[in-house]
Amino acid sequence: MTVVLRNVSKTFTARQNEPLTALQDISAEVSNGEFLCILGPSGCGKTTLLRMIGGLDHPTSGEIEVEGTPVTGPDPRLAMIFQEYSLYPWRTVRANVGFGLQMRGMPHEEREEIVTRFIGLVGLEGFGDSYPYELSGGMRQRVAVARALATDPAVLLMDEPFGALDAQTRNRMQKELLLIWEKTKKTVIFVTHSVDEAVYLADRIMVLSPRPGRIAGIYDVDIPRPRDRTSIEFAGLRRDVLELIDRLEDGQ
């Protein structure tokens, strides 16, 4: 298993030093090459869980392992993509995509070969010398995906990466992400608020309860790709997941 969570909990210190438990006893396994989507209401700890997997935060208790090795801090085996594009505005597309490789000290010629390949993979040929302000939101997010993939991580962590996009661009980016995933075979853990997005993308969907976040349900998505959002199977699974979320929000 690529990612293993064992009884992971996270407690913060709130105002007046009162403990606030964000996540409680999360145990799960994510297989090599799997596309897992995490759903749940706002404040249930989805982003906190993703940050802990990525080594940007630490569990209060429990263990997280990637490829059999404990996660103790930021790790080159994991790459994280946020909703905000987090690109360097003073660097071109090529320079942004190659940033991680440059920090590793990779020689220029080798770095440029990899950068060119991933710019092509995300469909940005001809935009290598452009700056982020010259790109659309969808194009900037493609640069963020290319930058993450260029470092060849074992796991790609995505925190609502398409949440700020309009519906049409979001649907297009979902299709393009699946094409990239099918080519690269990366393990993807993807946080979203959208049930439709989760059903369209995922091999499995993990639903977290309201705070403290616990695993309330896991759904295997057995619908063949490419998925038809208007199909009976798609609508049925979306309905089941929505009903669970509604029950959780009603406290049932």
Side-chain angles (χ1 to χ4, degrees):
M1 294 296 175
T2 298
V3 180
V4 178
L5 310 173
R6 297 190 185 92
N7 304 114
V8 172
S9 298
K10 180 64 177 180
T11 300
F12 296 96
T13 301
R15 294 181 179 179
Q16 299 176 346
N17 292 323
E18 294 180 358
L20 176 67
T21 301
L23 291 160
Q24 189 166 10
D25 292 330
I26 303 292
S27 294
E29 297 180 345
V30 186
S31 300
N32 184 41
E34 182 178 2
F35 200 126
L36 175 74
C37 279
I38 302 176
L39 275 171
S42 295
C44 71
K46 301 185 297 295
T47 295
T48 298
L49 181 59
L50 206 66
R51 286 177 58 84
M52 289 192 296
I53 295 171
L56 303 179
D57 204 344
H58 303 285
T60 305
S61 61
E63 298 176 322
I64 300 174
E65 290 184 356
V66 174
E67 297 183 325
T69 304
V71 175
T72 58
D75 191 311
R77 296 172 300 166
L78 304 114
M80 194 157 183
I81 300 174
F82 301 92
Q83 181 173 337
E84 302 80 13
Y85 310 117
S86 64
L87 303 177
Y88 297 112
W90 61 88
R91 298 175 71 102
T92 64
V93 168
R94 296 192 68 86
N96 267 289
V97 173
F99 178 75
L101 302 176
Q102 183 181 3
M103 291 299 98
R104 292 184 183 180
M106 181 177 289
H108 176 79
E109 185 174 337
E110 182 181 357
R111 185 170 75 242
E112 286 298 295
E113 181 179 341
I114 293 172
V115 167
T116 298
R117 176 157 56 91
F118 281 101
I119 286 178
L121 184 65
V122 299
L124 288 176
E125 299 95 334
F127 291 93
D129 294 327
S130 299
Y131 289 88
Y133 74 88
E134 299 176 297
L135 307 177
S136 68
M139 294 170 75
R140 289 195 294 269
Q141 199 59 293
R142 289 190 213 178
V143 177
V145 171
R147 183 175 64 185
L149 290 172
T151 61
D152 195 26
V155 182
L156 196 59
L157 307 173
M158 308 186 78
D159 188 9
E160 295 193 74
F162 308 144
L165 303 177
D166 63 84
Q168 184 176 354
T169 303
R170 183 171 185 157
N171 287 348
R172 186 168 65 248
M173 287 297 299
Q174 291 167 2
K175 293 177 182 178
E176 291 176 354
L177 174 61
L178 284 178
L179 290 174
I180 293 168
W181 171 71
E182 288 169 356
K183 290 178 181 177
T184 61
K185 305 301 182 184
K186 298 295 182 186
T187 303
V188 178
I189 303 177
F190 188 107
V191 163
T192 179
H193 275 98
S194 169
V195 174
D196 182 273
E197 185 168 63
V199 175
Y200 186 78
L201 292 174
D203 292 320
R204 282 193 303 158
I205 299 170
M206 177 192 296
V207 180
L208 298 183
S209 67
R211 190 174 62 237
R214 302 182 180 91
I215 297 177
I218 294 180
Y219 296 84
D220 293 317
V221 187
D222 297 324
I223 306 170
R225 296 185 176 94
R227 292 173 183 162
D228 180 357
R229 299 176 198 264
T230 65
S231 71
I232 294 174
E233 295 82 4
F234 194 101
L237 180 56
R238 180 172 54 195
R239 181 190 62 245
D240 292 346
V241 176
L242 282 169
E243 287 178 351
L244 173 59
I245 292 174
D246 286 343
R247 291 197 303 271
L248 292 171
E249 291 179 341
D250 291 340
Q252 298 180 19

